[in-house]
């Protein structure tokens, strides 16, 4: 450990906000995707100026900077892969700085937890729309860096649609700002989703939406996964875009029921969780249309949540699904691909085939309305055969998604894991064009 | 200097032309429908006008996926008519859709009055093909609605004014047309404007578009009142329309506005007509600015801009977008004496008050000397670096964009 690094960081942010002891660093050496190595130091700055100072010090001493929100990322972006580097934690930069209710926007620090933002503006009858399943812990900064999506992004769009302006510390430690209303290039759009590779976000103006007047949640059960996915294609094909349209298969439903007793039918092969937010006046017509489509596609049952508590229970099952599976499986690996919505049935069949060929159990819980699949491959990491099977299944799913006209990541990101796979969807020229952007922000 | 014109019939041809120009330093002006020629600095020293109009195919349309891939030279209107057959649309809301192209509209970063509801064009693009200055054809994104593979290049091209490359294909999200559309037109009597703005902004069922129009009497139908006119477009399900109408009428009534005309037939066409007014010019005797302001300050911003124009003895025609906050103001004068001088002084004064005011229309010969894009944004250095990295020989639309780009 470089003594002058620790000392200079301590001078910049206060010694109590610098960690260098291996036992303290260990906590920061993994994220929800994988385990990396120990960074050289972790700093917890209190504001933009300190972030800037930290980046300058790291740069002078040749240490890479790694921004870290809650560490729920699934692309290995918040950890030190090769060891060393300075991790910047935003644990102390977690405030809502300004709330402009008249114009429905808020300025926030990057460490603010996603759900807390919605909670803090709820009394103004506003909410922040992007809602990753990790929203109880993931941060706005992490969401911005990964362009996080969530169930409600079907109708509201992903994080990038909700970021109005950014304050960023660049590779030299200098601060710059972007705003979607600025003339010139839309740098905000490039920064969102850049996985921290183009700079460190120190504050953001985000868009808030009005809380809906009325919200209804329904659950449709199906005898097989094919008819459930055909129903999704049919709903979207009919020009109906619910606020959320999520699918869970039997593996997930059983795990969820065991964990939460959410009230899902355990005899179904697949369920669709459908939400529409809007106005009471149109809800009955809406429900009738959805019900008709799902019936035509062979649904077994249709249930409407009658109370807010029932609604919350249905959602709690969905939001806790991955965790619930974690209780019954020693390990799991989440693949993340998107396909055009009309080929969902084919895509799910491909997932099934890939898993069974590799003798693996797969659970599906995903943003069906967006065509964004999350097959969860259940395995035991102590079993070398299973580890190999997970890798080849994951790869087969990627291949199938690409063949169906889809992409290799819908929301979790590329990180280290899918770097190589980028060449399967993009040509050398395409990638070189992206590299031109990278050169401008980080010439090293 | 001679200017030549090329209208490549294929993307391959377009690549070859740019490769050649990049090699010999020929300056290229990229032209779509030429409807927004009033934006940006006028071309100077152009040697080749590159038209995209022959690249006008709808490459693929899957209505069940709510996505369409379309070539850059396709007009907004031909795209719209195709999508309409399947009950869908892309909310460009740009002027002169019969001439304006998809590529040009996206490159110009045009912002329409329904964006608070349907999103900005940059939020509708899910993939793109672009020909870079050196003739490289590069793709980004795809045909899926959620994609985080790589930097979001497609969004970067939106609003880049053809200075990073030529957008030859855009993959866009389509949106199902709402079942019902209804337009409202109301003259505003003395003392009602402020209340009308406030009432409209608090409606539970938000209008798809809400515009205050002052002037533009030739361009926009309907009798103006002492304080201009209010135009509102509601789009909703059939089930919601009656309630939305009732709420809207009583809100406008509370503002003290006695009469409202309801237009059901061709309600959306009426909006298109008003959007045309945004860029309507009095040939070389007008300049039109767009000023961005937060929605709750749109009225103040509109009045401020209008009064400033009048202070310099110019005529003002104004449109305020109540939902999004931006204001369009046209300064004109039929009498051409001293017009250049007046417009120049106005340009300075307007930018004092509104540093981000930008010109969107006007053929006035001295436009090139004005602050066409507004003051440089804070990240201008990075933008210049981006331009240098994409177009090192400054071949594409040189000096037409902000900050000398
Ligand atoms: C159970 C579970 C469910 C999930 N569900 C979803 C989901 O539904 N949708 C979805 O999109 N994702 C989901 N994720 C993935 C993850 O939660 C998101 O990617 C989230 O946005 C990461 O936020 P974070 O604060 O944890 O960021 P981290 O994991 O700490 O960091 C993620 C990336 O962001 C960068 N970063 C963090 N802060 C900043 C900053 N201020 N400036 C610049 N870069 C920064 C990091 O360097 C890293 O590259 C899920 C993860 C888990 C474990």
């Amino acid at each position: 450990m470089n003594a002058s690094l620790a000392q200079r960081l301590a001078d910049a942010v206060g010694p109590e906000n610098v960690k260098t002891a291996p036992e303290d660093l260990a906590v920061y050496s993994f994220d929800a995707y994988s385990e990396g190595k120990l960074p050289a130091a972790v700093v917890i700055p209190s504001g933009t100026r300190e972030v800037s100072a930290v980046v300058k010090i790291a740069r002078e001493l040749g240490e890479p900077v790694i921004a870290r929100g809650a560490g729920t990322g699934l692309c290995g972006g918040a950890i030190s892969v090769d060891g060393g580097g300075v991790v910047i934690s935003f644990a102390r930069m977690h405030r809502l700085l300004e709330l402009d209710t008249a114009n429905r926007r808020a300025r926030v620090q990057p460490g603010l937890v996603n759900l807390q933002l919605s909670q803090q503006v709820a009394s103004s009858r506003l909410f922040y729309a992007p809602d990753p399943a990790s929203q109880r812990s993931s941060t706005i900064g992490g969401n911005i860096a990964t362009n996080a999506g969530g169930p409600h992004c079907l109708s509201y769009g992903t994080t990038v649609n909700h970021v109005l302006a950014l304050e960023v510390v660049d590779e030299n430690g200098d601060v710059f700002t972007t705003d979607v209303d600025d003339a010139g290039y839309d740098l905000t759009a490039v920064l969102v989703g850049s996985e921290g590779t183009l700079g460190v976000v120190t504050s953001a103006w985000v868009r808030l939406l009005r809380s809906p007047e009325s919200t209804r949640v329904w659950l449709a059960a199906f005898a097989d996964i094919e008819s459930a996915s055909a129903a999704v294609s049919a709903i979207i094909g009919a020009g109906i875009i619910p606020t959320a349209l999520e699918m869970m298969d039997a593996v997930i439903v059983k795990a969820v029921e065991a964990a939460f007793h959410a009230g899902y039918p355990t005899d179904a092969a697949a369920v669709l969780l459908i939400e529409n937010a809007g106005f009471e006046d149109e809800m009955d017509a809406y429900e009738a249309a959805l019900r008709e489509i799902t019936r035509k596609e062979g649904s077994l049952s249709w249930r409407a949540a009658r109370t807010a508590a029932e609604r919350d229970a249905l959602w709690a099952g969905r939001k806790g699904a991955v965790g619930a599976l974690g209780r019954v499986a020693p390990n799991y690996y989440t693949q993340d691909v998107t396909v055009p919505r009309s080929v969902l049935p084919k895509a799910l069949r491909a997932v099934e085939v890939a898993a069974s060929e590799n003798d693996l159990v797969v659970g599906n819980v995903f943003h069906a309305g967006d065509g964004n699949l999350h097959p969860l491959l259940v395995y035991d990491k102590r079993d070398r055969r299973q580890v190999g099977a997970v890798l080849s299944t994951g790869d087969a799913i990627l291949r199938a998604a690409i063949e169906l006209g889809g992409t290799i990541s819908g929301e979790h990101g590329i990180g280290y894991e899918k770097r190589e796979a980028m060449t399967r969807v993009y040509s050398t020229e395409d990638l070189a064009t992206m590299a031109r952007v990278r050169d401008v922000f980080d010439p090293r | 200097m001679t200017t030549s014109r090329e209208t490549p019939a294929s993307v391959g041809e377009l690549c070859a032309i740019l490769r050649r120009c990049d090699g010999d330093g020929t300056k290229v002006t990229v032209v779509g429908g030429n409807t927004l020629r009033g934006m940006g600095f006028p071309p100077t020293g152009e040697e080749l006008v590159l038209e995209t109009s022959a690249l006008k195919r709808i490459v693929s349309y899957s209505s069940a996926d709510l996505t369409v891939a379309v070539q850059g030279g396709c007009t907004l209107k031909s795209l719209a008519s195709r999508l309409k057959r399947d009950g869908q649309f892309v909310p460009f809301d740009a002027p002169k859709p019969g001439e304006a192209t998809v590529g040009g509209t996206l490159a110009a970063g045009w912002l329409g009055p329904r964006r608070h509801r349907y999103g900005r064009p940059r939020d509708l693009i899910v993939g793109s093909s672009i020909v870079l200055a050196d003739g490289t054809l590069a793709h980004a994104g795809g045909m899926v609605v959620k994609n985080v593979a790589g930097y979001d290049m497609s969004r970067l091209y939106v609003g880049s004014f053809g200075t990073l490359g030529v957008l030859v294909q855009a993959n866009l999200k389509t949106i199902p047309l709402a079942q019902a559309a209804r337009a409202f037109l109301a003259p505003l009597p003395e003392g009602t404007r402020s209340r009308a703005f406030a009432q409209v902004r608090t409606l539970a069922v938000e209008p798809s578009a809400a515009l205050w129009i002052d002037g533009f009497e030739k361009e926009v139908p309907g009798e103006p009142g002492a304080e201009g006119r209010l135009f509102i477009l509601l789009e909703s399900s059939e089930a919601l329309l009656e309630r939305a109408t009732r709420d809207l009428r009583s809100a406008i009534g509370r503002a003290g506005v006695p009469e409202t005309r309801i237009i059901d037939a061709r309600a959306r066409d009426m909006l298109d007509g008003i959007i045309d007014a945004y860029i309507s010019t009095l040939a070389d005797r007008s300049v039109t600015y767009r000023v961005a302001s937060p929605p709750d300050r749109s009225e103040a911003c509109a009045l401020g801009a209008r009064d400033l124009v009048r202070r310099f003895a110019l005529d003002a025609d104004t449109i305020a977008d109540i939902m999004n906050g931006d204001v369009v103001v046209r300064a004109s004068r039929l009498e051409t004496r001293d017009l250049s001088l007046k417009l120049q002084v106005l340009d300075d004064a307007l930018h004092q008050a509104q540093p981000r005011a930008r010109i969107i229309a006007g053929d006035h010969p001295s436009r090139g000397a004005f602050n066409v894009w507004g003051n440089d944004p804070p990240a201008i250095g990075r933008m210049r670096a981006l331009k240098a990295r994409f177009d090192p020989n400054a071949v594409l639309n040189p000096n037409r964009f902000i900050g000398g780009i």
Side-chain angles (χ1 to χ4, degrees):
Chain A
M1 167 68 227
N2 186 327
S4 87
L5 174 69
Q7 190 52 53
R8 292 187 58 188
L9 291 173
D11 290 346
V13 301
E16 66 284 13
N17 298 310
V18 179
K19 297 180 197 281
T20 51
E23 62 274 22
D24 292 333
L25 298 178
V27 191
Y28 296 88
S29 67
F30 52 84
D31 63 8
Y33 162 64
S34 64
E35 193 166 340
K37 303 221 171 80
L38 291 191
V42 172
V43 288
I44 313 169
S46 65
T48 306
R49 211 172 308 150
E50 287 188 3
V51 173
S52 154
V54 168
V55 172
K56 287 194 162 120
I57 294 166
R59 180 173 180 132
E60 268 175 48
L61 299 179
E63 293 285 349
V65 166
I66 303 156
R68 184 179 176 93
T72 69
L74 295 169
C75 64
I79 53 178
S80 175
V81 174
D82 306 318
V86 175
V87 168
I88 300 184
S89 157
F90 292 98
R92 291 168 69 214
M93 292 172 67
H94 56 75
R95 263 179 291 277
L96 172 66
L97 298 170
E98 270 177 82
L99 174 60
D100 178 359
T101 51
N103 296 304
R104 294 182 217 152
R105 58 183 180 172
R107 192 161 69 89
V108 302
Q109 288 185 311
L112 180 61
V113 169
N114 175 301
L115 188 61
Q116 283 173 13
L117 171 54
S118 278
Q119 286 168 347
Q120 289 182 32
V121 301
S123 60
S124 307
R125 299 195 39 74
L126 296 170
F127 72 105
Y128 178 64
D131 59 340
S134 57
Q135 73 182 144
R136 280 175 191 284
S137 43
S138 70
T139 63
I140 300 294
N143 293 170
I144 289 174
T146 57
N147 188 18
H152 292 84
C153 295
L154 173 56
S155 61
Y156 300 131
T158 55
T159 300
V160 64
N161 295 20
H162 301 273
V163 175
L164 300 171
L166 292 172
E167 179 187 77
V168 182
V169 172
D170 72 8
E171 76 283 0
N172 296 319
D174 296 329
V175 182
F176 71 97
T177 59
T178 70
D179 185 318
V180 293
D181 280 322
D182 279 344
Y185 302 129
D186 189 349
L187 300 183
T188 313
V190 205
L191 285 157
V192 176
S194 65
E195 296 182 19
T197 59
L198 302 182
V200 177
V201 173
T202 48
S203 76
W205 274 105
V206 297
R207 208 154 74 92
L208 302 172
L209 303 185
R210 262 189 192 169
S211 306
E213 193 181 276
S214 165
T215 304
R216 287 211 199 163
V217 176
W218 304 285
L219 194 75
F222 293 83
D224 52 77
I225 208 164
E226 249 106 51
S227 50
S229 50
V232 172
S233 302
I235 291 169
I236 300 295
I240 299 178
I241 304 183
T243 323
L245 178 50
E246 301 281 304
M247 183 162 150
M248 283 162 274
D249 70 7
V251 173
I252 299 293
V253 166
K254 292 206 177 79
V256 166
E257 275 311 300
F260 308 109
H261 312 292
Y264 293 177
T266 44
D267 54 344
V271 298
L272 292 182
L273 180 65
I274 312 173
E275 179 183 295
N276 191 43
F279 300 90
E280 204 45 45
D281 314 59
E282 55 188 354
M283 284 298 177
D284 289 339
Y286 207 94
E287 177 171 355
L290 285 171
R291 217 177 155 162
E292 176 60 18
I293 294 174
T294 50
R295 196 187 52 75
K296 269 198 196 139
E297 300 297 337
S299 66
L300 300 172
S301 67
W302 176 266
R303 221 182 91 201
R306 252 168 272 285
T307 61
E310 261 182 67
R311 231 165 50 206
D312 292 347
L314 288 180
W315 269 117
R318 164 61 185 96
K319 298 223 164 167
V322 178
L325 189 66
R327 294 190 187 189
V328 295
N331 304 97
Y332 63 86
Y333 165 86
T334 315
Q335 184 52 287
D336 165 42
V337 295
T338 310
V339 296
R341 295 169 274 202
S342 58
V343 298
L344 262 182
K346 281 187 195 155
L348 282 163
R349 213 169 305 133
V351 168
E352 186 54 49
V353 169
S356 67
E357 272 175 4
N358 287 290
D359 206 11
L360 280 180
V361 173
V362 60
N364 284 291
V365 45
F366 64 102
H367 313 306
D370 281 319
N372 186 189
L373 271 62
H374 290 330
L376 288 147
L377 304 174
V378 178
Y379 71 108
D380 183 341
K381 76 173 175 196
R382 290 163 304 186
D383 179 339
R384 299 256 307 267
R385 187 208 71 82
Q386 289 193 31
V387 173
V390 166
L391 291 177
S392 48
T393 309
D395 192 67
I397 295 171
L398 274 191
R399 230 177 310 124
I402 296 167
E403 268 165 31
L404 289 168
T407 190
I408 57 172
S409 180
E411 57 182 21
H412 294 165
I414 298 301
Y416 294 91
E417 184 200 348
K418 289 183 175 171
R419 246 192 212 176
E420 175 275 328
M422 287 285 279
T423 58
R424 302 201 215 161
V425 273
Y426 293 122
S427 70
T428 315
E429 287 78 21
D430 302 344
L431 294 171
T433 309
M434 290 181 196
R436 296 188 199 211
V437 173
R438 167 87 204 217
D439 291 347
V440 166
F441 284 87
D442 191 355
R444 278 168 295 166
Chain B
M1 186 185 342
T2 55
T3 301
S4 57
R5 197 167 270 275
E6 298 241 31
T7 313
S10 70
V11 172
E13 240 177 73
L14 196 151
C15 292
I17 293 169
L18 285 189
R19 205 172 305 123
R20 196 186 68 222
C21 293
D22 192 47
D24 63 19
T26 304
K27 304 294 176 201
V28 177
T29 299
V30 190
V31 170
N34 215 15
T35 53
L36 298 176
R37 62 180 170 277
M39 281 181 73
F41 292 99
T44 52
E46 64 186 1
E47 291 154 3
L48 176 71
V49 174
L50 183 66
E51 295 177 325
T52 60
S53 53
L55 302 172
K56 59 179 181 206
R57 254 179 338 112
I58 293 176
V59 180
S60 70
Y61 174 36
S62 168
S63 63
D65 286 320
L66 298 173
T67 51
V68 65
V70 58
Q71 286 192 313
C74 181
T75 65
L76 302 184
K77 192 171 176 182
S78 57
L79 177 61
S81 356
R82 175 62 194 89
L83 301 181
K84 199 175 172 187
R85 293 216 303 266
D86 286 47
Q88 298 179 358
F89 75 115
V90 177
F92 286 110
D93 289 347
K96 310 225 171 122
E99 296 154 53
T101 61
V102 168
T105 306
L106 290 172
W110 182 263
L111 293 175
R114 291 190 291 177
R115 67 180 184 276
H116 64 288
R117 170 152 185 193
Y118 298 117
R120 295 168 176 244
R122 54 95 97 168
D123 294 328
L124 302 167
I125 192 164
V126 297
S128 61
S129 304
I130 195 163
V131 182
L132 303 178
D134 61 10
T136 304
L137 175 64
H139 310 277
M143 283 299 275
V144 290
V145 295
K146 251 171 107 182
N147 192 345
V148 294
Y151 298 136
D152 200 335
M153 304 302 291
S154 307
R155 275 189 169 85
L156 175 65
Y157 303 142
V158 176
S160 66
F161 211 63
T163 59
L164 298 178
V166 181
L167 198 59
V168 289
Q169 182 178 318
N171 308 343
L172 301 159
K173 284 192 200 185
T174 62
I175 298 177
L177 279 161
Q179 286 172 337
R182 177 170 280 174
F184 299 77
L185 202 55
L188 299 184
E190 192 73 46
T192 58
R193 185 192 51 237
S194 296
R195 276 182 289 159
F197 268 74
Q199 287 290 342
V200 168
R201 282 178 38 72
T202 55
L203 286 169
V205 183
E206 288 201 327
S208 288
L211 304 170
W212 173 66
I213 303 152
D214 189 49
F216 285 113
E217 270 148 46
K218 282 208 195 76
E219 293 83 359
V220 180
E223 278 298 298
E227 294 192 341
R229 277 166 289 177
L230 192 61
F231 170 83
I232 288 175
L233 181 71
L234 281 183
E235 290 177 295
S236 74
S237 61
E238 293 288 358
L240 190 58
L241 186 66
E242 283 321 307
R243 168 186 162 190
T245 303
R246 223 172 30 242
D247 289 359
L248 176 61
R249 295 189 80 163
S250 55
I252 297 179
R254 276 195 299 278
V257 180
E259 46 167 324
T260 311
R261 217 173 94 206
I262 294 190
I263 303 120
D264 276 337
R266 311 179 73 79
R268 293 191 179 99
D269 293 350
M270 232 180 130
L271 176 65
D272 286 343
I274 299 175
I275 293 170
D276 282 350
Y278 279 47
I279 60 157
S280 66
T281 67
L282 277 68
D284 58 353
R285 283 164 305 186
S286 70
V287 171
T288 308
Y289 291 88
R290 184 199 281 269
V291 184
S293 80
D296 70 337
R297 291 203 281 278
S298 61
E299 187 195 8
C301 173
L303 297 182
R306 182 189 73 178
D307 295 347
L308 199 62
V309 169
R310 289 182 177 162
R311 196 176 317 149
F312 297 105
L314 294 161
D315 296 328
D317 296 86
T318 314
I319 298 176
D321 183 330
I322 302 174
M323 306 314 293
N324 295 293
D326 52 315
V327 167
V328 166
V329 61
R330 182 177 73 186
S332 66
R333 194 82 207 171
L334 289 178
E335 165 67 54
T336 50
R337 202 161 48 92
D338 292 341
L339 184 58
S340 290
L341 187 65
K342 282 179 182 156
L343 288 174
Q344 180 69 68
V345 193
L346 169 68
D347 191 69
D348 291 341
L350 188 60
H351 285 101
Q352 294 267 327
Q354 298 284 354
R356 290 202 286 208
R358 66 176 75 165
I359 294 177
I360 58 167
D363 297 330
H364 193 269
S366 46
R367 195 184 86 217
F370 297 169
N371 190 355
V372 164
W373 291 103
N375 295 356
D376 288 353
I380 188 68
R382 252 155 236 282
M383 295 179 188
R384 289 199 184 101
L386 208 54
K387 169 69 174 179
R389 195 69 190 76
F390 272 75
D391 180 12
N393 302 323
V395 163
L396 290 169
N397 284 346
N399 302 313
R400 295 198 57 201
F401 203 31
I402 193 160
I405 293 174

